[in-house]
């Protein structure tokens, strides 16, 4: 069943075409993830379809629809960002329109809240369009991806992982076509060169010939020479007619070298034992024992309000690293950025890296040649976040501390940052609510839960694996299974079975289970 259809979807902002889409439609059961880089117009597209912009949309609707708008971060009216998001989600679930548009619905939510939202969204809605940079969320809630790029909308039938693999395959195919083009062009150029050389050596008749023989030889040579030249010109025309294939460029293929990085001559950056972290006079959690090994990629995870940022501030304040330890700290407050400096000036300032490496890091984060001389004051919020991160990466500090670095970044920038962090030669401690980001980078975890910090030496995937049950838990499972079997047998008529004996066994198992629960 068709829920909505829009044709000639076009929107221009300050003489810049944001999107131009001939036709798009949403059917019952479509669970769509809308992705694209910052500035491509994802939010504007949702607002356009809902008639919230000055442009009058050419849309047909067969059901009622609603839009959950993206909320700003920070505290307002006594509510945190997460509380405001949950409040708006509750309103959406109460209204229960057949079609919903959700713009960054996981903003400010912790992992448990996101997982609950995933389950509830899939259970209660069959049709929606979601804008999100949370790849795990898109994977679990969407079976179709819309990519908005260069004003065009492309549809992929599958979840985000399928979309990611398809894009990777497309890049490989482009690379293959480019290599075939280069190989064929070289082959034709080599043949043309040989024919040109052959033509040059055919200009003079052989020596020791009479005049008549010379004339005959000259005519034959001229005929052969013209034939060779014709072949050469044909080859040159074939080269000109070759369909030109531009070399695809993928920053992920550019490997960084870190010969300027100065290693730390110690096994651990920091060690904590029997410590507690407070917010004012309120104790947030205890730390029995935790370490930051040199070279680790350590993720700090926990629910909203558990004290992740407070712990980072505690470490920066209390650990007092010596002068030989260079520590770089990223946080979301970008008010101190020098607005008059250019992108390259700020990223390369006091960096030990060569200019080409600074430019490579900036390029991976989508700052290209034309962006190098832009002043910081003209950059968007997302671009300023990327530049602040680039500045830390070019600094080559021994320890990077990053508090929610993926906020305000698009998926392309997040994936680029993943690669840069994995390749970074120093130690990294970072906080992130992006589960895929943590999964791809972290080789160690600090988990804050139920008033305690646990230090786990391993990846997120390893931590999430089912833990082996204790022997008494297995015993309880066996008893409960036997109890279910007895109840089933007692309820069935069977003249050959001793019901009294089964009843006695039932009471005995029940007694054992009750004792375990005390």
């Amino acid at each position: 069943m068709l829920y909505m259809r829009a044709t000639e979807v076009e929107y221009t902002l300050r003489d810049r075409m944001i999107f131009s889409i001939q036709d798009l439609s949403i059917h019952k059961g479509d669970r769509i993830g809308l992705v694209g880089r910052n500035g491509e117009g994802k939010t504007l597209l949702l607002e356009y379809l809902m008639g919230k912009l000055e442009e009058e949309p050419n849309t047909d609707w067969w059901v009622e629809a609603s839009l959950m708008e993206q909320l700003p971060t920070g505290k307002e009216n006594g509510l945190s960002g997460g509380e405001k998001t949950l409040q708006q989600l509750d309103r959406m679930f109460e209204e229960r329109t057949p079609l919903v548009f959700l713009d960054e619905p996981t903003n400010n939510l912790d992992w448990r809240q996101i997982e609950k939202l995933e389950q509830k969204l899939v259970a209660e809605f069959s049709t929606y369009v979601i804008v999100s940079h949370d790849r795990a969320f898109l994977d679990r809630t969407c079976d179709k991806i819309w990519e908005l790029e260069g004003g065009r909308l492309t549809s992929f039938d599958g979840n985000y992982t399928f979309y990611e693999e398809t894009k990777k395959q497309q890049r490989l195919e482009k690379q293959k076509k480019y290599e075939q083009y280069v190989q064929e062009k070289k082959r034709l150029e080599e043949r043309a060169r040989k024919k040109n050389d052959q033509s040059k050596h055919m200009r003079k008749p052989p020596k020791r010939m009479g005049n008549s023989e010379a004339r005959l030889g000259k005519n034959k040579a001229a005929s052969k020479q013209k034939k060779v030249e014709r072949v050469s010109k044909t080859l040159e025309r074939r080269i000109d007619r070759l369909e030109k294939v531009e070399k695809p460029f993928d920053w992920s293929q550019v490997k960084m070298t870190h010969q300027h990085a100065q290693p730390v001559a110690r096994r651990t950056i920091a060690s904590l034992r029997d410590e507690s972290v407070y917010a004012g006079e309120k104790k947030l959690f205890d730390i029995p024992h935790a370490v930051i090994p040199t070279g680790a990629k350590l993720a700090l995870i926990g629910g909203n309000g558990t004290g992740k940022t407070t712990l980072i501030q505690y470490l920066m304040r209390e650990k007092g690293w010596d002068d030989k330890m260079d520590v770089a700290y990223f946080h979301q407050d970008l008010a101190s950025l020098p607005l008059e400096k250019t992108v390259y000036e700020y990223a390369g300032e006091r960096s030990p890296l060569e200019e080409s490496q600074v430019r490579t890091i900036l390029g991976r984060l989508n700052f290209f040649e034309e962006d190098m001389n832009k002043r910081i004051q003209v950059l968007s919020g997302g671009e300023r976040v990327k530049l602040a991160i680039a500045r830390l990466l070019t600094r080559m500090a021994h320890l990077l501390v990053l508090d929610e670095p993926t906020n305000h970044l698009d998926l392309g920038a997040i994936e680029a940052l993943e690669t840069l962090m994995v390749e970074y030669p120093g130690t990294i401690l970072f906080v992130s609510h992006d589960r895929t980001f943590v999964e791809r980078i972290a080789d160690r975890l600090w988990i804050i839960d139920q008033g305690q910090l646990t230090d786990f030496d391993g990846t997120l995937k390893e931590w999430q694996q089912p833990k082996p049950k204790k022997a008494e838990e297995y015993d309880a499972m066996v008893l409960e299974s036997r109890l279910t079997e007895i109840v089933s047998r007692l309820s069935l008529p069977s003249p050959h079975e001793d019901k009294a004996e089964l009843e006695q066994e039932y009471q005995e198992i029940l007694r054992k289970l009750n004792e375990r629960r005390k």
Side-chain angles (χ1 to χ4, degrees), residues 10-19 54-55:
E10 295 183 352
Y11 186 69
T12 302
L13 186 63
R14 291 193 292 272
D15 298 326
R16 179 197 162 202
M17 189 272 291
I18 304 298
F19 46 75
E54 64 275 11
E55 298 277 347

Side-chain angles (χ1 to χ4, degrees), residues 237-295:
R237 284 195 296 269
R238 286 181 63 185
I239 292 170
D240 291 338
R241 285 199 300 267
L242 274 178
E243 184 180 348
K244 189 175 181 181
V245 179
E246 296 292 340
K247 182 178 181 180
F249 186 76
D250 185 359
W251 280 110
S252 66
Q253 296 173 355
V254 181
K255 299 300 177 186
M256 293 292 296
T257 57
H258 296 290
Q259 67 269 27
H260 298 290
Q262 297 296 321
V264 179
R266 61 176 79 175
R267 294 181 64 183
T268 60
I269 296 291
S271 179
L272 300 90
R273 185 181 292 276
D274 297 329
E275 299 186 36
S276 299
V277 175
Y278 289 80
E281 296 184 357
K282 178 187 176 184
K283 185 166 79 169
L284 299 177
F285 55 87
D286 295 317
I287 308 174
H289 184 225
V291 295
I292 306 177
T294 301

Side-chain angles (χ1 to χ4, degrees), residues 400-413:
L400 286 185
V401 181
L402 308 173
D403 192 0
E404 296 287 7
T406 62
N407 280 0
H408 309 295
L409 297 188
D410 58 49
L411 288 168

Side-chain angles (χ1 to χ4, degrees), residues 26 79 91 109 129 164 200 213 369 379 422 436 487 509:
I26 301 172
L79 295 177
R91 193 179 305 119
L109 301 185
V129 179
E164 201 173 30
K200 289 175 185 176
E213 289 178 310
E369 188 61 38
L379 300 181
V422 168
T436 307
V487 169
I509 291 174

Side-chain angles (χ1 to χ4, degrees), residues 178-425:
Y178 172 75
E179 290 169 358
Q180 290 172 342
Y181 162 74
V182 169
Q183 188 177 4
E184 179 64 7
K185 187 180 179 184
K186 282 183 178 178
R187 186 184 70 81
L188 292 173
E189 286 174 340
E190 180 63 18
R191 282 192 63 194
R193 185 189 64 77
K194 286 180 179 179
K195 289 298 177 184
N196 285 329
D197 289 347
Q198 184 181 352
S199 173
K200 289 175 185 176
H201 289 94
M202 296 171 69
R203 293 184 184 279
K204 294 181 180 179
K207 293 180 179 180
R208 297 177 183 174
M209 280 189 176
N211 288 338
S212 61
E213 289 178 310
R215 280 196 300 272
L216 184 61
K218 188 175 181 180
N219 290 337
K220 286 183 178 179
S223 176
K224 287 182 179 179
Q225 185 179 12
K226 286 181 180 178
K227 187 176 180 180
V228 170
E229 286 174 349
R230 280 198 302 272
V231 173
S232 177
K233 288 186 182 299
T234 300
L235 289 169
E236 288 172 359
R237 284 195 296 269
R238 286 181 63 185
I239 292 170
D240 291 338
R241 285 199 300 267
L242 274 178
E243 184 180 348
K244 189 175 181 181
V245 179
E246 296 292 340
K247 182 178 181 180
F249 186 76
D250 185 359
W251 280 110
S252 66
Q253 296 173 355
V254 181
K255 299 300 177 186
M256 293 292 296
T257 57
H258 296 290
Q259 67 269 27
H260 298 290
Q262 297 296 321
V264 179
R266 61 176 79 175
R267 294 181 64 183
T268 60
I269 296 291
S271 179
L272 300 90
R273 185 181 292 276
D274 297 329
E275 299 186 36
S276 299
V277 175
Y278 289 80
E281 296 184 357
K282 178 187 176 184
K283 185 166 79 169
L284 299 177
F285 55 87
D286 295 317
I287 308 174
H289 184 225
V291 295
I292 306 177
T294 301
K297 304 295 189 292
L298 171 61
L300 173 57
I301 61 178
N304 287 342
T306 53
K308 301 185 294 296
T309 298
T310 305
L311 174 59
I312 284 180
Q313 293 168 348
Y314 172 80
L315 290 171
M316 298 295 291
R317 183 179 65 251
E318 300 294 332
K319 285 295 108 180
W321 287 291
D322 57 46
D323 294 338
K324 294 179 181 179
M325 175 70 67
D326 186 12
V327 181
Y329 178 33
F330 169 83
H331 50 83
Q332 293 294 329
D333 182 11
L334 304 176
S336 60
L337 288 178
L339 301 182
E340 291 301 315
K341 288 195 173 180
T342 67
V343 167
Y344 179 76
E345 283 174 347
Y346 184 66
E349 193 174 49
R350 295 195 298 274
S351 171
L353 298 181
E354 297 172 359
E355 180 179 339
S356 61
Q357 292 178 299
V358 174
R359 288 177 179 269
T360 295
I361 289 174
L362 286 169
R364 283 206 184 168
L365 294 169
N366 287 331
F367 290 107
F368 301 115
E369 188 61 38
E370 61 270 22
D371 301 314
M372 294 298 156
N373 293 320
K374 282 184 180 177
R375 298 196 181 279
I376 295 174
Q377 62 190 7
V378 305
L379 300 181
S380 68
E383 288 172 326
R384 293 186 189 192
V385 170
K386 288 190 288 187
L387 181 58
I389 292 171
R391 165 67 177 261
L392 295 190
L393 292 168
T394 61
R395 181 169 151 182
M396 288 288 107
H398 299 118
L399 172 63
L400 286 185
V401 181
L402 308 173
D403 192 0
E404 296 287 7
T406 62
N407 280 0
H408 309 295
L409 297 188
D410 58 49
L411 288 168
I414 291 172
E415 289 165 4
L417 180 57
E418 285 170 355
T419 306
L420 289 165
M421 286 175 64
V422 168
E423 292 177 4
Y424 194 78

